[in-house]
Amino acid sequence: MTDSKTTTKTVNVTSKASVSVLFAGDSGDGMQLTGTQFANTVAVRGSELNTFPNFPSEIRAPAGTISGVSGFQLQFGSKPVYTPGALFDVMIAMNSAALKANLKNLHQGGIIIAGTDGFDEKNLKLAGYPEGVNPLEDGSLSNYTVFPVPVQQLTREALKDSGLSSREVDRCKNMFILGLLYWLYNLPYEGTVEMLQSKFSKKPLIADANIKAVKAGYYFGDETEIFANIGRFDIPPEKEHGTYRRVTGNEAAAIALAAAAKKSGLELFLGSYPITPATEILQNLAKMKKWGAKTFQAEDEIAGICSSIGAAFGGALAATNTSGPGLALKTEALGLAVIMEIPLVVINVQRGGPSTGLPTKPEQSDLFMAMYGRHGEAPLPVVAASSPVDCFYTTYEAARLAVEHMTPVICLTDGYLALSSEPWAVESPDNLAEIKPRIHAARKPEDPPYLPYKRDENLVRSWAIPGTKGLEHRIGGLEKQNETGNVSHDPDNHELMTKLRAEKIARIADTIPLQTLDNGAEKGDLLVLGWGSSYGAIKTAVDQAIEKGYSVAHAHLRYINPFPKNLRQILGNYKQVLIPENNNGQLVHIIRDTFLIEPVGFSKVKGLPFNEMEILAKITDLIKEL
Amino acid sequence: MTDINPTTALTAKDFASNQEPKWCPGCGDHAVLQQIKSVLPELGVASENIAFVSGIGCSSRLPYYMATYGIHGIHGRALPMATGLKAARPDLSVWVATGDGDALSIGGNHFIHTLRRNPDLNIVLFNNEIYGLTKGQYSPTSKLGLRTVTSPAGVIDHPFNPASLAIGSGGTFFARAFDKDGKFLRSILLRAAQHRGTSLVEIYQNCPIFNNAAWDAFANADIKAENTIYLEQQKPLLFGKDQKKGIRLDGFKPIVVDLEKSGVSTADLWIHDETDINKASILARFADTDPDSEGALPRPIGVLYAEDRVTYEDALTEQVRDAQKNGAGTLAELLKGDNSYVIK
Ligand SMILES: Cc1ncc(C[n+]2csc(CCOP(=O)(O)OP(=O)(O)O)c2C)c(N)n1
Ligand code: SF4
């Protein structure tokens, strides 16, 4: 197992606390696989980790161009890391377009490992460099540490006897780079060798060639003198003992739905229509039939939610998942679910909008739609996940609220959480909250008539499931008479029902946990109030701000409707409230509206998540003004 | 048909809810409701195991009048709701009440996709060739030239032929009946309920308020015989007063023959085979001819097409069962996943 360590010459190894790496190349260069493998290796070794893939929205963007660049960013460290890193310390640029597209996010003095074969005349031209200009040669990269490596040439040499075609050989060059990075970060390559053996078990030649390429890259690091002055790095793994798995937000959300179904004793039904970046939830659940998950790929988003409403009426834990344009299509049916008062989980994986907008880029701009995007008075609970792993807990909580409060619930995630990953300490079934469906028992002939809209102390009606004797009832979109559920056009009844439905949602505040501070003192100058995927960036920035001695705290909302009961009080404990959002200030509106305070908004709508530097800079500005 | 769970012998009355139907007097919906209620006891399914799902429209109010479970949904979306319900609960007998606007206009997409998937639903399509509930606008089945509030100069949209659409979408059962012809309608509803898969019954339903007499050419006693043909499996296509006319197939072309004048015998006539999709497709096209036109083809009534094909929910249940053949997954396994690793 320690093969990869012992055969290495003694080179200076420097310890570091964390490092951020970007693997970037053309879409065809296999950067996603390379990054994923690297991430697996550091995770299994026990590092803290956060990853984020960044690929073009076109399936086959023109090779060699900026729009064809595919990247995989990760940060790993000894202590928890909450983002893939604001700037990277190391950038792998397999071609000149990858370099050009990403250079602005490389630390000054950072390392560039450039695959020189991707910087030939043709590639430079495709990347848009003026004729005769090669950034590797013109001194423009003098602020960085550049290592030109002829990756393709070296891979070809290593595999000259492999018996593979030159195309197949060239496809191994990502493994060469991976091997080199393993060497540079003092990591074992055996895990990758095993992966390649099993992945290509039916194609031994391909497996061998890839393995050879990994090793060639590794030993290239050893043998070449070019890294002599920087040496190797080590990021000592310090993760606590235990069993872990690495999950993306979309995986975590899918697991949560299946887990909630198991825990509640209900069958899971997901009606869904593919849309980036939400599709993997459907894909993941389609693979969970072993846990009884039924998935239905509908003809559109309307059919997706309506099939789930049908399933929920039938007594299933029903869910639907989508992204902005799909949520727009679901709004009419959401109103139906509100008035029917049936449980339904709607996961909305937000992306840049309006319309098709930036389909592969994250944004937090569907908050208004989640809160208000229905006709009529149709309040429903809204919760938001803050990290890939939190997509599990928040989705699970959405399912609990839906089932226990007989209401549709919108769970907001986004394209950043959906695709990012982090290690997750495997959860024990006993730690998951109980989910208790309000299922009505069968009625005996002598019992009083069943009243579908009779409510308990939380104003929750019971769930009468078809097949149960004596509870036959008809409900739908028309206003119902209180308790009986019969169609009613009575003006006073409509007002009563409108208020009851609203009050039912408001009373959820009595049952959810109070808001806690993530970081900082209970009273102070500035509270950074966040929601959703900005968690990692805010957390990191507030950490740094506190270290600088600023009086700053961080609270991150999971419950946006209803808000936790103590939120008003928390907001009042600071001179100023800062709300960073990947939108034009939607939570700012809601907070101002609800609490009549004047928070400071900090918007970013570039299709990019916040990074910690931006937030720290904003905090610093505000603190100075106070 | 759904597995039965008979309790005591039920009657039509047992399926009537305590709500009074609010349809206009003389509306065909009353008659259809009556036949649905009367056919249910025959299925031997207890009322708690039956669900009616509908969209929006006059006809979509039907679930309220049934003493079963029911959803009165939103316009056009009854079919996906029913599909989800049936997928989650294959044990239920699921019925859909829908109008021509509900099923074919706003719900057109769901209509074609439901039919190709073939969940075991019984769809009752109330075709009155008009939007009733919204007060008389033309629908996707309204005849060309029909003057309505939204087509004062006459409809210029070519209408749908529901039978062709259904068969073309991969539907496995299509039948046609009249609201007024109670006994026959009942027999067709029974056949539809017994069909495993999506059964579509198109009912020519009169809306006396906004499109009165739309079906008179086929429904009125004096001309009905000339304009309609009642299909019977493995029987020749005969129609007309005293069954003196028949349909012969000349290649793919159906031709009306007068048995007395032409000397064609019944042995030469088209023999109805509801399992033959090619014949069903031609039969479906009969509805494209105007009954008043020269050589008009009679309107087929009865079962045009019936095919035995696996249902959506059976295929889905089978996949789940297959995935669980070595036991269902536990919550602990789910949480652990198959790529976990141990840090020592
Ligand atoms: C989303 C939406 N659009 C429009 C309507 C208005 N609407 C209700 S029923 C209907 C047409 C009904 O016609 P049909 O389905 O033929 O049923 P009928 O009333 O004739 O039985 C329309 C347009 C609606 N309820 N919802
Ligand atoms: S408007 Fe027409 S379809 Fe609607 S209830 Fe009246 S008669 Fe029936």
Side-chain angles (χ1 to χ4, degrees), chain B residues 1-2 43 95 120 122 188-195 199:
Chain B
M1 216 187 78
T2 314
L43 303 181
W95 294 68
D120 186 12
N122 309 312
I188 291 296
L189 290 171
L190 188 60
R191 270 290 315 268
Q194 284 162 342
H195 174 74
S199 59

Side-chain angles (χ1 to χ4, degrees), chain A residues 43-47 239-246 255 258-260 262-263 267 269 288-300 302-304 306-311 313-316 332-333 336 340 392 423-424 426-429 432 464-478 480 485-487 489, chain B residues 7 17-19 22 46-52 56 61-75 77 79-92 106 109-111 113-114 116-117 312-313 316-317 319-321 323-324 326-344:
Chain A
V44 169
R45 189 167 172 247
S47 288
K239 203 149 179 77
E240 268 181 52
H241 300 198
T243 309
Y244 295 87
R245 66 189 296 189
R246 197 155 63 82
I255 298 164
K262 277 270 168 198
K263 194 80 180 181
E267 186 173 280
F269 180 91
M288 293 189 192
K289 294 199 171 63
K290 195 174 170 198
W291 287 272
K294 286 184 176 171
T295 55
F296 173 62
Q297 183 176 317
E299 55 273 26
D300 59 25
I302 301 173
C306 286
S307 62
S308 293
I309 290 174
F313 182 77
E332 187 198 8
L336 177 67
M340 281 176 75
F392 174 86
W424 180 28
V426 165
E427 191 56 270
S428 146
L432 299 182
I465 294 172
T468 317
K469 237 184 164 31
L471 305 186
E472 293 90 332
H473 66 290
R474 281 70 49 194
I475 56 174
L478 282 170
K480 296 130 194 26
N486 290 332
V487 175
H489 292 99
Chain B
T7 41
S17 77
N18 60 1
Q19 301 293 298
K22 296 233 172 74
S47 58
E48 69 265 22
N49 291 325
I50 300 176
F52 276 81
I56 298 291
R61 294 287 176 97
L62 186 131
Y64 288 119
Y65 311 131
M66 304 298 305
T68 63
Y69 283 88
I71 308 175
H72 176 228
I74 46 178
H75 196 26
R77 320 299 173 194
L79 288 173
M81 288 193 282
T83 301
L85 176 58
K86 186 72 187 177
R89 295 292 307 277
D91 57 314
L92 301 175
I106 190 166
N109 194 30
H110 310 311
F111 182 80
H113 289 281
T114 305
R116 78 181 164 87
R117 289 190 191 106
Y312 182 82
E313 68 279 4
L316 181 61
T317 309
Q319 288 190 343
V320 172
R321 201 177 296 142
Q324 298 183 337
N326 299 321
T330 65
L331 181 52
E333 287 166 351
L334 174 72
L335 294 169
K336 183 153 180 258
D338 54 11
N339 60 351
S340 63
Y341 53 90
V342 179
I343 305 290
K344 296 205 183 84

Side-chain angles (χ1 to χ4, degrees), chain A residues 332, chain B residues 23 27 29 55-61 74-77 98-106 125-135 137 139-141 205 207:
Chain A
E332 187 198 8
Chain B
W23 294 307
C27 173
D29 293 0
I56 298 291
C58 296
S59 41
S60 290
R61 294 287 176 97
I74 46 178
H75 196 26
R77 320 299 173 194
T98 182
D100 40 306
D102 195 59
L104 302 177
S105 190
I106 190 166
L125 171 63
F126 294 69
N127 186 1
N128 53 14
E129 296 193 337
I130 202 81
Y131 286 0
L133 192 69
T134 45
K135 301 200 166 80
Q137 304 78 18
S139 94
T141 54
Q205 173 244 327
C207 167

